[in-house]
Amino acid sequence: MQAMEISEAAPPAQRRAMRGIAFWITAAIVVALDQGTKSIVRTTMDRGESWPDWDLPFRFRHITNSGASFGILQGETTFLVVMTIIGLGAIYLYYRNPPFEHWIASIAIGMMLGGALGNFIDRVRVGRVTDFIDFDRYPSFNLADSFIFVGVSVLILGYLWTEKRRSATPDEDAQPNG
């Protein structure tokens, strides 16, 4: 908690700079983790290969996807690349104008940017995304997808928490009933 108090006491320009650093470092770490794990999967496993071999509810399986989430838009790489570029721009604009001014929002949006960039790199380099996290009865995914999901979830929870706090504070403009 001490770190929070220090950052809250920092001047606005310094807080903004710290949020910017958190955003870019988070995005870079996500891209590195995503690309690193995908590289390991591509170099150590054949497509379709699973590890471990025995039947478990979770395993690593080298799968490629030329479409989007849940296998939609298969083979539409050009369209998906264009949409990703638009999405990357939207994520950056969202970072510049976050729904709430907190360092956690910068990290969450950095996760989204890093995840989108990770899958974008796959689409541009190899024409398809490498997925390797495989649960029974659920589409396979990768770290980029996971970071996007976590980032969006944190933003939604943060927004709901902020709105709840706002609605709990009395309205200063309200007139007394008397």
Side-chain angles (χ1 to χ4, degrees), residues 6 22 35 47 57 83 91 107 114 126 134 136 152 166 174:
I6 291 170
Q35 289 298 298
R47 267 196 214 153
M83 290 294 102
I91 291 169
I107 290 172
V126 294
D134 187 39
D136 286 344
V152 168
R166 272 191 206 140

Side-chain angles (χ1 to χ4, degrees), residues 50-61 131-143 146:
S50 294
W51 182 85
D53 290 336
W54 56 89
D55 202 19
L56 295 172
F58 164 78
R59 68 189 140 280
F60 295 103
R61 181 179 305 204
D131 292 326
F132 58 91
I133 301 169
D134 187 39
F135 285 91
D136 286 344
R137 299 183 190 99
Y138 191 80
S140 298
F141 56 98
N142 55 47
L143 288 185
S146 300

